[in-house]
Amino acid sequence: MKPETAEWTSKADANLATAQREASVDDGPNYDAVCFHAQQCAEKYLKAIMVETGMRVPRIHDLEALVNLLFGEYADLERILRFARILSAMAVEVRYPGMTADEDDAAESLKAATLIREAVQEILCSFGDDGIK
């Protein structure tokens, strides 16, 4: 894996750890933050594939759009499309007044981020240390 790709996955893992930590708080967990950090984890993992393969990394946050950009080369990512949609909706909606995430939303977001992370890790493992498949 390229060093820059490793930076992206490290940041993604930090987002996931933050989401997990916040979800486990006993006194007043911030479920909005859990959803946001779960989305950030997935976004950074998807962008890590782009970095690893030399694709231009778009400055967008729509996970479904990112999956669609990768879909031509990695058709097996279709299995995470539903989770990408869930996270994209949750991460934007809960950041502003009008919607507040609850415990179920947070759990669903953590599950979605974890599944996207696993799918991307499978792809990244197919590359050698030099980023060549």
Side-chain angles (χ1 to χ4, degrees):
M1 182 183 310
K2 295 176 182 176
E4 187 180 1
T5 306
E7 287 183 61
W8 279 88
T9 60
S10 177
K11 293 272 189 188
D13 288 338
N15 281 120
L16 184 58
T18 298
Q20 291 168 331
R21 194 168 41 250
E22 187 59 34
S24 70
V25 170
D26 290 328
D27 187 23
N30 183 341
Y31 295 128
D32 291 357
V34 172
C35 295
F36 173 74
H37 285 285
Q39 185 277 343
Q40 286 291 290
C41 169
E43 178 181 331
K44 288 173 183 149
Y45 261 103
L46 291 168
K47 289 180 176 181
I49 297 174
M50 295 174 171
V51 169
E52 188 68 16
T53 60
M55 288 178 68
R56 185 186 70 76
V57 178
R59 295 182 72 99
I60 61 172
H61 307 290
D62 181 338
L63 301 185
E64 184 176 1
L66 291 172
V67 170
N68 285 331
L69 287 171
L70 293 164
F71 189 71
E73 187 70 29
Y74 306 101
D76 59 326
L77 288 179
E78 182 178 15
R79 65 188 164 118
I80 65 166
L81 198 52
R82 180 172 72 89
F83 302 111
R85 286 185 190 118
I86 289 167
L87 287 174
S88 287
M90 288 304 301
V92 173
E93 300 282 332
V94 300
R95 288 177 25 206
Y96 301 99
M99 182 185 175
T100 300
D102 61 21
E103 187 174 4
D104 290 339
D105 295 327
E108 184 176 45
S109 293
L110 282 171
K111 177 184 175 186
T114 300
L115 291 171
I116 290 172
R117 178 181 180 265
E118 290 170 0
V120 171
Q121 284 179 331
E122 286 175 22
I123 291 168
L124 291 174
C125 284
S126 71
F127 291 92
D129 288 340
D130 56 2
I132 298 174
K133 215 172 182 183

